[in-house]
Amino acid sequence: MSIEARELALMLKQRNNKSFEPLTLGRVISTNPLRVSDGDDIVLDEELLSTSNIQRLIQNGDLVTGNLVCMVTTSDYTKYVVVDKVV
């Protein structure tokens, strides 16, 4: 299991199935550094964790400004994991 998968699993476990919306969509504001808007706020790079798939998409030029991404948030909404590009 990759480090990213372990971190995501730990975050999900820490939620203890609390009732909140863990998934959210965001629009990429910039890729270097990665910044995403969730519609209300701009999530800065220090609040974002990205999977190796997201890093690969950025390196290949397949994730660009304006793209939609799916994010999982922690229960206190302090960190977001950018999971994948929405097609």
Side-chain angles (χ1 to χ4, degrees):
M1 181 182 288
S2 71
I3 292 172
E4 293 92 1
R6 286 184 191 150
E7 288 176 2
L8 180 58
L10 179 62
M11 286 174 54
L12 294 174
K13 184 178 179 182
Q14 288 174 341
R15 289 189 345 221
N16 290 330
N17 296 323
K18 296 176 184 173
S19 114
F20 73 103
E21 291 296 322
L23 294 177
T24 187
L25 294 180
R27 188 161 305 277
V28 176
I29 302 299
S30 71
T31 57
N32 190 14
L34 182 59
R35 292 187 178 173
V36 178
S37 170
D38 69 356
D40 298 324
D41 300 308
I42 294 176
V43 181
L44 301 176
D45 52 339
E46 60 268 4
E47 299 165 330
L48 289 175
L49 303 170
S50 59
T51 61
S52 55
N53 182 54
I54 289 294
Q55 292 302 316
R56 182 184 53 77
L57 289 172
I58 291 171
Q59 289 174 352
N60 292 342
D62 295 326
L63 185 69
V64 296
T65 301
N67 285 156
L68 283 176
V69 291
C70 177
M71 299 184 293
V72 176
T73 183
T74 57
S75 60
D76 60 0
Y77 296 95
T78 59
K79 296 284 183 186
Y80 293 82
V81 178
V82 183
V83 179
D84 209 346
K85 177 181 173 180
V86 177
V87 239

